[in-house]
Structure formats: structure tokens, C-alpha cells
Amino acid sequence: MCGIVGAVSMRNIVPILVQGLQRLEYRGYDSCGVAVHASSLDATRPAGLQRARSTARVAELLEQVQTDRVDGATGIAHTRWATHGAPEVHNAHPHFSHGTGDASGTPGRVALVHNGIIENHEELRAALQARGYVFTSQTDTEVIAHLVDSHYSGDLFEAVQAAVAQLHGAYAIAVMHRDEPHRVVGARAGSPLILGVGTGGGEHFLASDAMALAGVTDQIVYLEEGDLVDLQLGRYWIVGKGREALTPAQRPVRTVQAHSGAAELGPYRHYMQKEIFEQPRAISDTLEGVEGIVPELFDGADGTAAWRVFKEIDSVLILACGTSYYSGCAAKYWLEEIAGIPTQVEVASEYRYRTSVPNPRSLVVTITQSGETADTLAALRHAQSLGMQHTLTICNVATSAMVRECKLAYITRAGVEIGVASTKAFTTQLAGLFLLTLALAQSKGRLTPEQEAAHLKAMRHLPVALQAVLALEPQVISWAEDFARMENALFLGRGLHYPIALEGALKLKEISYIHAEAYPAGELKHGPLALVTSAMPVVTVAPNDALLEKLKSNMQEVRARAGVLYVLADADTRIESSEGIHVIRMPEHYGPLSPLLHVVPLQLLAYHTACARGTDVDKPRNLAKSVTVE
Ligand code: F6R
């Protein structure tokens, strides 16, 4: 999704802004741009805003700024993922205001970058046009630039404060003004924005993600909902929601580890491949320090005790999107079978808008890698507004809005995930959800010490078990050679492995652009069997569980229609490779945890199929990492 970097400094800040954009590239974008205050570096230059914008990669933007000599000590930069208006240069940020008094036609007084969506942009646009403002883009963002301009009377902070009061929707913005060469003003509501406290020279930074500032500063202030921030040389000033400009808000400065290591590819071709192979490490980090099942594992940062909450709840409501939703679907099987707790799993974007029957005794569990997904955050707030106050998140980013807004949390330690297609975040979410299941089972008196010991032993063995599955890569590559020639694929699973089939299909479609669908295998003859021909490979997840014999019948149904099966089979399933049946035998493993292992060959299948088709694996078309707009 969109990314913001901004700075007030004494040195030419353009290389740092562009480098920041490069660090945010993995989030997905279709255009980029940078604007600087020309006289901020050299006071002899005429005051004015300069900019460069491009629909190519950030590397091309860098060439453009060098050719056009765009440099300055105060600047803002942006990567845009199109929502309003096509990915064309005139829609790329930064946007300039063109005031009515700006007869020369040169760029106006305000430069602005924006993440999020302004819902009332049409009415604001009409009002501004009526006042003579001329629009040069189809974006909702340009409205904010003109709005700030319309409120400006010598103080940018005041103008931004007045402008955001008129906005409905989600935004993180960074704004500069032609007449204030050493000032950038930021504001956030609904989209993340952080302040980077500079380590020398009085410089300060703004960014939508601390990762953009890796190597520049590790002193980070996480701005809160409704905050405005005023960046000037040698000082910064934060004002909270609804406060007067003279009352600064105190926000802690945190030392945040730079993620520079995550950006190194090492021996891998793509981040996705690297992240698939990092799963043993990610799981062992996620489970580090777990000596036994105790509710304290889920205690909130504000001291909320999980044991109290666990005693009170009688059901679980899981809210999430995409891959995280599928990890929730798998957890439902664990929660109902092991902990005996009725569990409902809802797609966050649906839940937030439908009329549902709230249960104040339900534990609302949000699952999110980024902790910033707009739909999941909105679904959480919706549940809270309905009176459901027991909230817990399984999240990969300890400093995210989701962790701040939930009472309880389990932080997965997958590390930064750069590939747009989620892999290690998924398996670490499953690990966190399995722990949650055990903790709830224990608090409901459904976990004996022997069961606890057996589950924990199997969890500790997961990194080794994952290594054994990763060793199957050469066999998966031979499957991928067949898949690369296909345009459709079907994935089948039953029970706990149906969500794994769903996740396998999602991975394949996301990065190889092959149309893939997943079904619970028992549904086959209720419709999808009509699609089965020799041109429709059918991937089957076949662990040796209670449903194996039924699954074997479903496989016969496929073979009888000339369908070609690709089966992930456990050693003792007695499913053998034969005409039209390709079998990869899974290493022996602990039954309840098998979803964590079965998903890995499916991730590898999607990855190698995409490589064979030559797609942009880490940045698939139209997709973005961290979906911070609705
Ligand atoms: C798919 C994928 C997405 C995310 C979804 C939710 O590979 O990554 O489906 O899972 O956008 O994102 P988070 O987990 O950040 O809330």
C-alpha cells in the first residue's frame, strides 16, 4: 500500500527520502514521487517547491531527481497504490495546491502526500472548485492540498489542523508550505504515521512505517489516532486529538530495531522463498520462552490479566482478512475440539457491515500480520461498539494499532515479511493460535498435564519437522513444472486441512495468476466435479486422519473423470503414485499440528509455479502488503 517518508534537515535529504521509499517498495505501489523545498538547502535559491514523479520504479525516480537536480533539506516523498484515479503521473503524490492567486501557473503553495481514503472528497472538491481551485488529478488527495491552502494564513500547523477537521475517512498526511522552508506537518487518523527523532543536526523524520527509516534513526514515536505533528529543525511538537495547539501531547520515544537484515536476500532468488525457508526459525522465535501453558502468555501490555478474561468468556469470535482469516479457520477446529469452545470465524470486511448478534462473553480474536489492516481494525472497533470488550490479537507487529487497541495480545515473531504473499506470518499465527487453544482448554479444565506435555513437546519439535518438509522442495519443483502450463487448479482438503487447501489456492492465484479454488473434498460432487478434466490439476491434502477413507473416495471421483491428482500424503495412508496420481510423501509428524506442515509444500508449489511463469513473485500485480485502506 501507499508509503510516506518526510524530513526536516540541514543536509540534502533527497537520497534518504528515496532510500526510504525503496524500503517501502515491498508494500506494493504503482507510482512514486518526491517534493522538496528548494531554498531549504541553499537560502540563495528562490523559495519554492520542486518535485519529481514517476509511474516507474523508485530506482527510476532516483535517476529523475538527479537529472532534474531536485534537492533540498526539507522534503516529503510517497509511493502510491492507486485507489482514486489511474496510476498515472498526474495522480502521483506529492500533490501541489494551485491557489486562485497563483496566476503564473507555477506550482502552488502547499505540497502534500497522503495514505488512506477521504470519503467526503467529492463535496470538498465541489466547494473548493466553487472557490476557484483548479484540480489536475482524479485523486482524493489533491482535495486536502487545496483545503490546507484555503486555510493558510501564515502558519502551516494551524492550516493543517483546520483542514483535517473537515475530513471524513482515513488519512496519514505529510505537508510542506512554500513560505516555511524548514517545516513539515503531519497528521494521522486511521492510517499509521510515525515520527523519527533524528540523531544529530536537529533533523527529524516522518514515515508510515519505521522500516522506511532503518539506518537513519531507531528513535521512533508512534503517533496516535488524531495526532498532529509539527516538525521543525531541532524541535518537534505533537498535539493530540481535539487539543489546542499550545498543549503538546507526550508520546514515548521507543528504540526500534532497524530491519536492515530483513532486506538482505542472501542465497535466495526472492523474499518469498527466503521467508518460506525462514519458517523453522520464525516458529522457534515465536515459541521462545514458552515453558508451559500459562495464561500470562497472553497478558496485555497495559497489564490486563488474561486468566481473568479466559475465565469469563464462553465463546470465541475470530476476525481477520485473507491468509490471516484462513489461519483463523484452522484455529476453529482446534478451539472446538481441544478447548470445547464454540468458535465463529468472520471475514473482517463482512463482519463490520452486517447485523450480527453480539455476545459480551465472547473473546474477540483478531489475527493480523501487520496489525494495521483497515478492515480488521474496523471490525474490532465494531465488535467493541457492540459491547464486546474481551479482545485479543495474534499479531506480528508489537507496536501496531491492533496491539494497542486490544486488551490481550500474543506477538508472533516471524520477523519482517517482505514478500506480498504471506508465508511465515501464517505458520507463526497458527503456532500462536495453537497456544491460545491450549491456554483456553486449560482454563476450562480440559487439558491434563500429560496432554499439555505432549502438545508442548510436539510444538518444540516443529522447527525440525519443518526442515524435513522443506527438504521436499525438489519434488515440489517437478509438480510446479506441470502447474506452470495450467490455467486452473482445484485444491481439496477435509476438516482441519480444508483451510490449508484454501490457503494453498490463495497462494497460487496471488503470485502465479492461475485461477485456483479450494473445496472441502466432500463438496466435490455437489458442483465442482463438473470442472474436472485432464486440464484441471487437483491438489489434495491427505493426512492420515479420521477422514482419510472419505478423502480417498473423493480422489477416485476425480480419477474417474480423467482428473490428475497431486497428493500430499502421510506415510501411512497407503496412497501410492500411479497413472494420474502424483504423490509427495510427508515426513511423519504430530497430527494436531499437521496444518503447519502441510501448508509448506503448497507455498513452495505456488512459488516455483510463479517462477516458472516468470511473474513478479514478491510484488504480484495489483496487490499490496498491509492493506491500510478499506
Ligand atoms: C495473502 C496475504 C493477505 C493478508 C491480508 C491480511 O498472502 O498476505 O491475504 O493476509 O491482507 O493482512 P494482515 O494479516 O496484515 O491483516
Side-chain angles (χ1 to χ4, degrees), residues 340-374:
I341 297 184
T343 302
Q344 202 182 325
V345 194
E346 298 238 13
V347 170
S349 56
E350 285 294 310
Y351 174 75
R352 61 183 287 197
Y353 289 119
R354 80 177 182 86
T355 307
S356 55
V357 183
N359 173 6
R361 293 191 62 200
S362 207
L363 176 64
V364 179
V365 177
T366 62
I367 308 170
T368 167
Q369 184 280 125
S370 61
E372 303 289 350
T373 301

PDB file of all heavy atoms in Angstrom, residues 340-374:
ATOM      1  N   GLY A 340     -13.087 -27.099  23.456  1.00  0.00           N
ATOM      2  CA  GLY A 340     -14.546 -27.211  23.609  1.00  0.00           C
ATOM      3  C   GLY A 340     -15.243 -25.866  23.634  1.00  0.00           C
ATOM      4  O   GLY A 340     -16.296 -25.704  24.259  1.00  0.00           O
ATOM      5  N   ILE A 341     -14.673 -24.871  22.954  1.00  0.00           N
ATOM      6  CA  ILE A 341     -15.267 -23.525  22.971  1.00  0.00           C
ATOM      7  C   ILE A 341     -15.909 -23.216  21.618  1.00  0.00           C
ATOM      8  O   ILE A 341     -15.236 -23.275  20.577  1.00  0.00           O
ATOM      9  CB  ILE A 341     -14.178 -22.466  23.288  1.00  0.00           C
ATOM     10  CG1 ILE A 341     -13.630 -22.724  24.681  1.00  0.00           C
ATOM     11  CG2 ILE A 341     -14.738 -21.049  23.185  1.00  0.00           C
ATOM     12  CD1 ILE A 341     -12.638 -21.715  25.143  1.00  0.00           C
ATOM     13  N   PRO A 342     -17.197 -22.875  21.611  1.00  0.00           N
ATOM     14  CA  PRO A 342     -17.844 -22.534  20.332  1.00  0.00           C
ATOM     15  C   PRO A 342     -17.108 -21.371  19.664  1.00  0.00           C
ATOM     16  O   PRO A 342     -16.816 -20.364  20.321  1.00  0.00           O
ATOM     17  CB  PRO A 342     -19.257 -22.106  20.738  1.00  0.00           C
ATOM     18  CG  PRO A 342     -19.443 -22.579  22.131  1.00  0.00           C
ATOM     19  CD  PRO A 342     -18.090 -22.743  22.744  1.00  0.00           C
ATOM     20  N   THR A 343     -16.773 -21.531  18.403  1.00  0.00           N
ATOM     21  CA  THR A 343     -15.938 -20.528  17.723  1.00  0.00           C
ATOM     22  C   THR A 343     -16.555 -20.155  16.378  1.00  0.00           C
ATOM     23  O   THR A 343     -16.991 -21.017  15.622  1.00  0.00           O
ATOM     24  CB  THR A 343     -14.512 -21.083  17.502  1.00  0.00           C
ATOM     25  OG1 THR A 343     -13.964 -21.437  18.769  1.00  0.00           O
ATOM     26  CG2 THR A 343     -13.609 -20.060  16.836  1.00  0.00           C
ATOM     27  N   GLN A 344     -16.552 -18.865  16.135  1.00  0.00           N
ATOM     28  CA  GLN A 344     -17.080 -18.329  14.884  1.00  0.00           C
ATOM     29  C   GLN A 344     -15.915 -17.585  14.219  1.00  0.00           C
ATOM     30  O   GLN A 344     -15.182 -16.877  14.910  1.00  0.00           O
ATOM     31  CB  GLN A 344     -18.136 -17.323  15.293  1.00  0.00           C
ATOM     32  CG  GLN A 344     -19.191 -16.978  14.317  1.00  0.00           C
ATOM     33  CD  GLN A 344     -20.082 -15.913  14.961  1.00  0.00           C
ATOM     34  OE1 GLN A 344     -20.319 -15.918  16.175  1.00  0.00           O
ATOM     35  NE2 GLN A 344     -20.543 -14.995  14.149  1.00  0.00           N
ATOM     36  N   VAL A 345     -15.756 -17.758  12.919  1.00  0.00           N
ATOM     37  CA  VAL A 345     -14.678 -17.044  12.214  1.00  0.00           C
ATOM     38  C   VAL A 345     -15.325 -16.172  11.150  1.00  0.00           C
ATOM     39  O   VAL A 345     -16.137 -16.661  10.359  1.00  0.00           O
ATOM     40  CB  VAL A 345     -13.691 -18.013  11.515  1.00  0.00           C
ATOM     41  CG1 VAL A 345     -12.416 -17.278  11.103  1.00  0.00           C
ATOM     42  CG2 VAL A 345     -13.354 -19.182  12.406  1.00  0.00           C
ATOM     43  N   GLU A 346     -14.990 -14.892  11.135  1.00  0.00           N
ATOM     44  CA  GLU A 346     -15.642 -13.981  10.186  1.00  0.00           C
ATOM     45  C   GLU A 346     -14.606 -13.192   9.394  1.00  0.00           C
ATOM     46  O   GLU A 346     -13.608 -12.719   9.953  1.00  0.00           O
ATOM     47  CB  GLU A 346     -16.520 -12.981  10.947  1.00  0.00           C
ATOM     48  CG  GLU A 346     -17.630 -13.645  11.702  1.00  0.00           C
ATOM     49  CD  GLU A 346     -19.003 -13.150  11.299  1.00  0.00           C
ATOM     50  OE1 GLU A 346     -19.139 -12.462  10.261  1.00  0.00           O
ATOM     51  OE2 GLU A 346     -19.944 -13.462  12.052  1.00  0.00           O
ATOM     52  N   VAL A 347     -14.900 -13.018   8.113  1.00  0.00           N
ATOM     53  CA  VAL A 347     -14.093 -12.119   7.283  1.00  0.00           C
ATOM     54  C   VAL A 347     -14.365 -10.701   7.802  1.00  0.00           C
ATOM     55  O   VAL A 347     -15.518 -10.264   7.869  1.00  0.00           O
ATOM     56  CB  VAL A 347     -14.515 -12.242   5.806  1.00  0.00           C
ATOM     57  CG1 VAL A 347     -13.882 -11.164   4.959  1.00  0.00           C
ATOM     58  CG2 VAL A 347     -14.164 -13.622   5.272  1.00  0.00           C
ATOM     59  N   ALA A 348     -13.316  -9.990   8.178  1.00  0.00           N
ATOM     60  CA  ALA A 348     -13.483  -8.699   8.857  1.00  0.00           C
ATOM     61  C   ALA A 348     -14.312  -7.717   8.038  1.00  0.00           C
ATOM     62  O   ALA A 348     -15.170  -7.005   8.577  1.00  0.00           O
ATOM     63  CB  ALA A 348     -12.107  -8.104   9.158  1.00  0.00           C
ATOM     64  N   SER A 349     -14.102  -7.673   6.720  1.00  0.00           N
ATOM     65  CA  SER A 349     -14.802  -6.686   5.888  1.00  0.00           C
ATOM     66  C   SER A 349     -16.298  -6.976   5.797  1.00  0.00           C
ATOM     67  O   SER A 349     -17.090  -6.099   5.472  1.00  0.00           O
ATOM     68  CB  SER A 349     -14.188  -6.642   4.490  1.00  0.00           C
ATOM     69  OG  SER A 349     -14.216  -7.937   3.923  1.00  0.00           O
ATOM     70  N   GLU A 350     -16.695  -8.222   6.058  1.00  0.00           N
ATOM     71  CA  GLU A 350     -18.119  -8.559   6.078  1.00  0.00           C
ATOM     72  C   GLU A 350     -18.703  -8.253   7.454  1.00  0.00           C
ATOM     73  O   GLU A 350     -19.755  -7.645   7.585  1.00  0.00           O
ATOM     74  CB  GLU A 350     -18.306 -10.048   5.766  1.00  0.00           C
ATOM     75  CG  GLU A 350     -18.103 -10.390   4.312  1.00  0.00           C
ATOM     76  CD  GLU A 350     -19.171  -9.751   3.433  1.00  0.00           C
ATOM     77  OE1 GLU A 350     -20.359  -9.888   3.743  1.00  0.00           O
ATOM     78  OE2 GLU A 350     -18.797  -9.083   2.445  1.00  0.00           O
ATOM     79  N   TYR A 351     -17.992  -8.696   8.473  1.00  0.00           N
ATOM     80  CA  TYR A 351     -18.500  -8.573   9.838  1.00  0.00           C
ATOM     81  C   TYR A 351     -18.814  -7.126  10.183  1.00  0.00           C
ATOM     82  O   TYR A 351     -19.834  -6.823  10.792  1.00  0.00           O
ATOM     83  CB  TYR A 351     -17.475  -9.150  10.817  1.00  0.00           C
ATOM     84  CG  TYR A 351     -17.868  -8.931  12.262  1.00  0.00           C
ATOM     85  CD1 TYR A 351     -18.876  -9.696  12.847  1.00  0.00           C
ATOM     86  CD2 TYR A 351     -17.256  -7.938  13.018  1.00  0.00           C
ATOM     87  CE1 TYR A 351     -19.254  -9.478  14.161  1.00  0.00           C
ATOM     88  CE2 TYR A 351     -17.628  -7.722  14.336  1.00  0.00           C
ATOM     89  CZ  TYR A 351     -18.629  -8.490  14.895  1.00  0.00           C
ATOM     90  OH  TYR A 351     -19.015  -8.266  16.188  1.00  0.00           O
ATOM     91  N   ARG A 352     -17.921  -6.217   9.764  1.00  0.00           N
ATOM     92  CA  ARG A 352     -18.070  -4.823  10.189  1.00  0.00           C
ATOM     93  C   ARG A 352     -19.351  -4.196   9.658  1.00  0.00           C
ATOM     94  O   ARG A 352     -19.805  -3.193  10.178  1.00  0.00           O
ATOM     95  CB  ARG A 352     -16.850  -3.993   9.772  1.00  0.00           C
ATOM     96  CG  ARG A 352     -16.626  -3.936   8.288  1.00  0.00           C
ATOM     97  CD  ARG A 352     -15.377  -3.184   7.906  1.00  0.00           C
ATOM     98  NE  ARG A 352     -15.498  -1.748   8.087  1.00  0.00           N
ATOM     99  CZ  ARG A 352     -14.690  -0.854   7.542  1.00  0.00           C
ATOM    100  NH1 ARG A 352     -13.689  -1.263   6.783  1.00  0.00           N
ATOM    101  NH2 ARG A 352     -14.862   0.414   7.730  1.00  0.00           N
ATOM    102  N   TYR A 353     -19.903  -4.757   8.584  1.00  0.00           N
ATOM    103  CA  TYR A 353     -21.087  -4.131   7.990  1.00  0.00           C
ATOM    104  C   TYR A 353     -22.371  -4.936   8.157  1.00  0.00           C
ATOM    105  O   TYR A 353     -23.423  -4.497   7.731  1.00  0.00           O
ATOM    106  CB  TYR A 353     -20.851  -3.886   6.491  1.00  0.00           C
ATOM    107  CG  TYR A 353     -19.849  -2.776   6.250  1.00  0.00           C
ATOM    108  CD1 TYR A 353     -18.673  -3.015   5.575  1.00  0.00           C
ATOM    109  CD2 TYR A 353     -20.089  -1.488   6.734  1.00  0.00           C
ATOM    110  CE1 TYR A 353     -17.751  -1.998   5.371  1.00  0.00           C
ATOM    111  CE2 TYR A 353     -19.170  -0.471   6.534  1.00  0.00           C
ATOM    112  CZ  TYR A 353     -17.997  -0.731   5.851  1.00  0.00           C
ATOM    113  OH  TYR A 353     -17.094   0.270   5.656  1.00  0.00           O
ATOM    114  N   ARG A 354     -22.284  -6.140   8.725  1.00  0.00           N
ATOM    115  CA  ARG A 354     -23.534  -6.903   8.803  1.00  0.00           C
ATOM    116  C   ARG A 354     -24.137  -6.777  10.203  1.00  0.00           C
ATOM    117  O   ARG A 354     -23.448  -6.454  11.169  1.00  0.00           O
ATOM    118  CB  ARG A 354     -23.303  -8.357   8.407  1.00  0.00           C
ATOM    119  CG  ARG A 354     -22.707  -9.221   9.459  1.00  0.00           C
ATOM    120  CD  ARG A 354     -22.590 -10.655   8.965  1.00  0.00           C
ATOM    121  NE  ARG A 354     -22.043 -11.507  10.012  1.00  0.00           N
ATOM    122  CZ  ARG A 354     -22.792 -12.073  10.950  1.00  0.00           C
ATOM    123  NH1 ARG A 354     -24.092 -11.892  10.990  1.00  0.00           N
ATOM    124  NH2 ARG A 354     -22.214 -12.826  11.879  1.00  0.00           N
ATOM    125  N   THR A 355     -25.436  -7.027  10.261  1.00  0.00           N
ATOM    126  CA  THR A 355     -26.090  -7.013  11.568  1.00  0.00           C
ATOM    127  C   THR A 355     -25.842  -8.366  12.198  1.00  0.00           C
ATOM    128  O   THR A 355     -26.202  -9.400  11.632  1.00  0.00           O
ATOM    129  CB  THR A 355     -27.607  -6.782  11.395  1.00  0.00           C
ATOM    130  OG1 THR A 355     -27.770  -5.607  10.612  1.00  0.00           O
ATOM    131  CG2 THR A 355     -28.309  -6.628  12.724  1.00  0.00           C
ATOM    132  N   SER A 356     -25.192  -8.382  13.350  1.00  0.00           N
ATOM    133  CA  SER A 356     -24.878  -9.656  13.991  1.00  0.00           C
ATOM    134  C   SER A 356     -25.415  -9.620  15.419  1.00  0.00           C
ATOM    135  O   SER A 356     -25.808  -8.567  15.914  1.00  0.00           O
ATOM    136  CB  SER A 356     -23.364  -9.880  13.986  1.00  0.00           C
ATOM    137  OG  SER A 356     -22.720  -8.774  14.582  1.00  0.00           O
ATOM    138  N   VAL A 357     -25.402 -10.777  16.058  1.00  0.00           N
ATOM    139  CA  VAL A 357     -25.906 -10.836  17.433  1.00  0.00           C
ATOM    140  C   VAL A 357     -24.699 -10.836  18.367  1.00  0.00           C
ATOM    141  O   VAL A 357     -23.959 -11.814  18.421  1.00  0.00           O
ATOM    142  CB  VAL A 357     -26.753 -12.108  17.640  1.00  0.00           C
ATOM    143  CG1 VAL A 357     -27.329 -12.137  19.052  1.00  0.00           C
ATOM    144  CG2 VAL A 357     -27.859 -12.180  16.596  1.00  0.00           C
ATOM    145  N   PRO A 358     -24.438  -9.720  19.048  1.00  0.00           N
ATOM    146  CA  PRO A 358     -23.230  -9.666  19.880  1.00  0.00           C
ATOM    147  C   PRO A 358     -23.359 -10.512  21.137  1.00  0.00           C
ATOM    148  O   PRO A 358     -24.451 -10.655  21.688  1.00  0.00           O
ATOM    149  CB  PRO A 358     -23.125  -8.172  20.239  1.00  0.00           C
ATOM    150  CG  PRO A 358     -24.502  -7.632  20.089  1.00  0.00           C
ATOM    151  CD  PRO A 358     -25.224  -8.485  19.088  1.00  0.00           C
ATOM    152  N   ASN A 359     -22.238 -11.085  21.541  1.00  0.00           N
ATOM    153  CA  ASN A 359     -22.202 -11.818  22.803  1.00  0.00           C
ATOM    154  C   ASN A 359     -21.107 -11.188  23.656  1.00  0.00           C
ATOM    155  O   ASN A 359     -19.921 -11.362  23.380  1.00  0.00           O
ATOM    156  CB  ASN A 359     -21.892 -13.298  22.528  1.00  0.00           C
ATOM    157  CG  ASN A 359     -21.680 -14.073  23.825  1.00  0.00           C
ATOM    158  OD1 ASN A 359     -21.880 -13.544  24.925  1.00  0.00           O
ATOM    159  ND2 ASN A 359     -21.267 -15.324  23.694  1.00  0.00           N
ATOM    160  N   PRO A 360     -21.472 -10.441  24.692  1.00  0.00           N
ATOM    161  CA  PRO A 360     -20.457  -9.762  25.513  1.00  0.00           C
ATOM    162  C   PRO A 360     -19.494 -10.729  26.187  1.00  0.00           C
ATOM    163  O   PRO A 360     -18.429 -10.321  26.639  1.00  0.00           O
ATOM    164  CB  PRO A 360     -21.277  -8.993  26.555  1.00  0.00           C
ATOM    165  CG  PRO A 360     -22.701  -9.120  26.168  1.00  0.00           C
ATOM    166  CD  PRO A 360     -22.833 -10.215  25.158  1.00  0.00           C
ATOM    167  N   ARG A 361     -19.850 -12.030  26.234  1.00  0.00           N
ATOM    168  CA  ARG A 361     -18.941 -13.005  26.862  1.00  0.00           C
ATOM    169  C   ARG A 361     -18.044 -13.690  25.836  1.00  0.00           C
ATOM    170  O   ARG A 361     -17.351 -14.654  26.137  1.00  0.00           O
ATOM    171  CB  ARG A 361     -19.747 -14.030  27.660  1.00  0.00           C
ATOM    172  CG  ARG A 361     -20.428 -13.384  28.880  1.00  0.00           C
ATOM    173  CD  ARG A 361     -21.000 -14.419  29.801  1.00  0.00           C
ATOM    174  NE  ARG A 361     -19.989 -15.298  30.347  1.00  0.00           N
ATOM    175  CZ  ARG A 361     -20.257 -16.497  30.862  1.00  0.00           C
ATOM    176  NH1 ARG A 361     -21.494 -16.944  30.888  1.00  0.00           N
ATOM    177  NH2 ARG A 361     -19.288 -17.240  31.348  1.00  0.00           N
ATOM    178  N   SER A 362     -18.080 -13.179  24.627  1.00  0.00           N
ATOM    179  CA  SER A 362     -17.223 -13.762  23.590  1.00  0.00           C
ATOM    180  C   SER A 362     -15.832 -13.138  23.656  1.00  0.00           C
ATOM    181  O   SER A 362     -15.692 -11.943  23.930  1.00  0.00           O
ATOM    182  CB  SER A 362     -17.872 -13.454  22.242  1.00  0.00           C
ATOM    183  OG  SER A 362     -17.516 -14.416  21.317  1.00  0.00           O
ATOM    184  N   LEU A 363     -14.817 -13.948  23.387  1.00  0.00           N
ATOM    185  CA  LEU A 363     -13.457 -13.407  23.257  1.00  0.00           C
ATOM    186  C   LEU A 363     -13.262 -13.063  21.773  1.00  0.00           C
ATOM    187  O   LEU A 363     -13.317 -13.946  20.914  1.00  0.00           O
ATOM    188  CB  LEU A 363     -12.420 -14.447  23.695  1.00  0.00           C
ATOM    189  CG  LEU A 363     -10.952 -14.034  23.514  1.00  0.00           C
ATOM    190  CD1 LEU A 363     -10.595 -12.839  24.402  1.00  0.00           C
ATOM    191  CD2 LEU A 363     -10.012 -15.210  23.823  1.00  0.00           C
ATOM    192  N   VAL A 364     -13.078 -11.782  21.484  1.00  0.00           N
ATOM    193  CA  VAL A 364     -12.872 -11.350  20.101  1.00  0.00           C
ATOM    194  C   VAL A 364     -11.382 -11.469  19.794  1.00  0.00           C
ATOM    195  O   VAL A 364     -10.559 -10.813  20.432  1.00  0.00           O
ATOM    196  CB  VAL A 364     -13.343  -9.888  19.897  1.00  0.00           C
ATOM    197  CG1 VAL A 364     -13.095  -9.444  18.460  1.00  0.00           C
ATOM    198  CG2 VAL A 364     -14.815  -9.749  20.270  1.00  0.00           C
ATOM    199  N   VAL A 365     -11.051 -12.338  18.847  1.00  0.00           N
ATOM    200  CA  VAL A 365      -9.636 -12.560  18.499  1.00  0.00           C
ATOM    201  C   VAL A 365      -9.393 -12.011  17.097  1.00  0.00           C
ATOM    202  O   VAL A 365      -9.989 -12.480  16.131  1.00  0.00           O
ATOM    203  CB  VAL A 365      -9.286 -14.066  18.544  1.00  0.00           C
ATOM    204  CG1 VAL A 365      -7.837 -14.292  18.105  1.00  0.00           C
ATOM    205  CG2 VAL A 365      -9.513 -14.629  19.942  1.00  0.00           C
ATOM    206  N   THR A 366      -8.548 -11.006  16.990  1.00  0.00           N
ATOM    207  CA  THR A 366      -8.163 -10.525  15.661  1.00  0.00           C
ATOM    208  C   THR A 366      -6.827 -11.166  15.309  1.00  0.00           C
ATOM    209  O   THR A 366      -5.968 -11.328  16.170  1.00  0.00           O
ATOM    210  CB  THR A 366      -8.028  -8.994  15.623  1.00  0.00           C
ATOM    211  OG1 THR A 366      -6.990  -8.612  16.521  1.00  0.00           O
ATOM    212  CG2 THR A 366      -9.319  -8.298  16.007  1.00  0.00           C
ATOM    213  N   ILE A 367      -6.687 -11.513  14.039  1.00  0.00           N
ATOM    214  CA  ILE A 367      -5.420 -12.110  13.583  1.00  0.00           C
ATOM    215  C   ILE A 367      -4.909 -11.227  12.456  1.00  0.00           C
ATOM    216  O   ILE A 367      -5.624 -10.980  11.472  1.00  0.00           O
ATOM    217  CB  ILE A 367      -5.630 -13.549  13.068  1.00  0.00           C
ATOM    218  CG1 ILE A 367      -6.388 -14.386  14.097  1.00  0.00           C
ATOM    219  CG2 ILE A 367      -4.287 -14.194  12.730  1.00  0.00           C
ATOM    220  CD1 ILE A 367      -6.845 -15.732  13.555  1.00  0.00           C
ATOM    221  N   THR A 368      -3.700 -10.730  12.593  1.00  0.00           N
ATOM    222  CA  THR A 368      -3.169  -9.840  11.569  1.00  0.00           C
ATOM    223  C   THR A 368      -1.645  -9.804  11.619  1.00  0.00           C
ATOM    224  O   THR A 368      -1.065  -9.628  12.684  1.00  0.00           O
ATOM    225  CB  THR A 368      -3.765  -8.415  11.704  1.00  0.00           C
ATOM    226  OG1 THR A 368      -3.025  -7.507  10.894  1.00  0.00           O
ATOM    227  CG2 THR A 368      -3.794  -7.895  13.118  1.00  0.00           C
ATOM    228  N   GLN A 369      -1.052 -10.001  10.465  1.00  0.00           N
ATOM    229  CA  GLN A 369       0.409  -9.923  10.390  1.00  0.00           C
ATOM    230  C   GLN A 369       0.848  -8.496  10.678  1.00  0.00           C
ATOM    231  O   GLN A 369       1.680  -8.248  11.534  1.00  0.00           O
ATOM    232  CB  GLN A 369       0.855 -10.384   8.992  1.00  0.00           C
ATOM    233  CG  GLN A 369       2.352 -10.454   8.774  1.00  0.00           C
ATOM    234  CD  GLN A 369       3.010  -9.124   8.480  1.00  0.00           C
ATOM    235  OE1 GLN A 369       3.951  -8.738   9.171  1.00  0.00           O
ATOM    236  NE2 GLN A 369       2.519  -8.396   7.510  1.00  0.00           N
ATOM    237  N   SER A 370       0.258  -7.548   9.946  1.00  0.00           N
ATOM    238  CA  SER A 370       0.713  -6.155  10.007  1.00  0.00           C
ATOM    239  C   SER A 370       0.203  -5.405  11.231  1.00  0.00           C
ATOM    240  O   SER A 370       0.840  -4.479  11.705  1.00  0.00           O
ATOM    241  CB  SER A 370       0.219  -5.414   8.765  1.00  0.00           C
ATOM    242  OG  SER A 370      -1.201  -5.432   8.743  1.00  0.00           O
ATOM    243  N   GLY A 371      -0.984  -5.782  11.697  1.00  0.00           N
ATOM    244  CA  GLY A 371      -1.611  -5.036  12.792  1.00  0.00           C
ATOM    245  C   GLY A 371      -2.188  -3.712  12.345  1.00  0.00           C
ATOM    246  O   GLY A 371      -2.603  -2.896  13.182  1.00  0.00           O
ATOM    247  N   GLU A 372      -2.225  -3.469  11.036  1.00  0.00           N
ATOM    248  CA  GLU A 372      -2.722  -2.183  10.532  1.00  0.00           C
ATOM    249  C   GLU A 372      -3.811  -2.374   9.479  1.00  0.00           C
ATOM    250  O   GLU A 372      -4.206  -1.406   8.832  1.00  0.00           O
ATOM    251  CB  GLU A 372      -1.581  -1.366   9.907  1.00  0.00           C
ATOM    252  CG  GLU A 372      -0.397  -1.085  10.822  1.00  0.00           C
ATOM    253  CD  GLU A 372      -0.695  -0.082  11.940  1.00  0.00           C
ATOM    254  OE1 GLU A 372      -1.776   0.543  11.910  1.00  0.00           O
ATOM    255  OE2 GLU A 372       0.154   0.051  12.852  1.00  0.00           O
ATOM    256  N   THR A 373      -4.259  -3.588   9.240  1.00  0.00           N
ATOM    257  CA  THR A 373      -5.255  -3.823   8.191  1.00  0.00           C
ATOM    258  C   THR A 373      -6.551  -3.084   8.526  1.00  0.00           C
ATOM    259  O   THR A 373      -7.156  -3.325   9.584  1.00  0.00           O
ATOM    260  CB  THR A 373      -5.492  -5.337   8.030  1.00  0.00           C
ATOM    261  OG1 THR A 373      -4.238  -5.922   7.688  1.00  0.00           O
ATOM    262  CG2 THR A 373      -6.514  -5.640   6.955  1.00  0.00           C
ATOM    263  N   ALA A 374      -6.950  -2.193   7.624  1.00  0.00           N
ATOM    264  CA  ALA A 374      -8.070  -1.286   7.919  1.00  0.00           C
ATOM    265  C   ALA A 374      -9.347  -2.061   8.256  1.00  0.00           C
ATOM    266  O   ALA A 374     -10.044  -1.725   9.219  1.00  0.00           O
ATOM    267  CB  ALA A 374      -8.292  -0.357   6.734  1.00  0.00           C
TER     268      ALA A 374
END
